[in-house]
Amino acid sequence: MNTSLTYRQATEKDLDFLFDLRTKTMVPHYEVSGLSTDKETTLKRVLYEFDKAQIILLDNQPIGLLKVNRTFTNIDVLQLQIDPAQQGKKILTDILEEASLAGKTVSLSVLKTNKAQHLYTSLGFRIVDEDQNSYFMETEKQ
């Protein structure tokens, strides 16, 4: 079966979807980390850098969120959330390919309690720094 993965700019109409997505994908990690999971804090995280928010569509159905900040030397993955029923590594491998072609690094942060860090390591990310709750990871410049 051929599936089509596309992106579109998020709008205010997507806020309910994004709030539900963040609740499903991130609240469990925040709870384990002892971080706030109330509605106001969750909405603030959804709205963070909202101008960079892209809705990830699979066969024209929303399955996730990608926020990326592209600079001359780096691609910083600010937020990546995929509905648990649709999770995979295709989006990150596309970003890594883009960075490789442009000679850029890719950076992201992941909560220490989030098992996704193992996926990131398998894709070539390494820990470059950390704080109390998160690892800061990046790839080598290609």
Side-chain angles (χ1 to χ4, degrees), residues 11 14 22 31 45 55 71 126:
T11 69
D14 296 306
R22 185 144 194 112
E31 286 174 342
R45 291 178 178 130
I55 301 297
T71 66
R126 60 184 171 72

Side-chain angles (χ1 to χ4, degrees), residues 106-119:
V106 179
S107 60
L108 55 79
S109 64
V110 60
L111 288 170
K112 291 179 178 180
T113 57
N114 189 333
K115 293 178 183 169
Q117 64 186 275
H118 302 296
L119 169 65

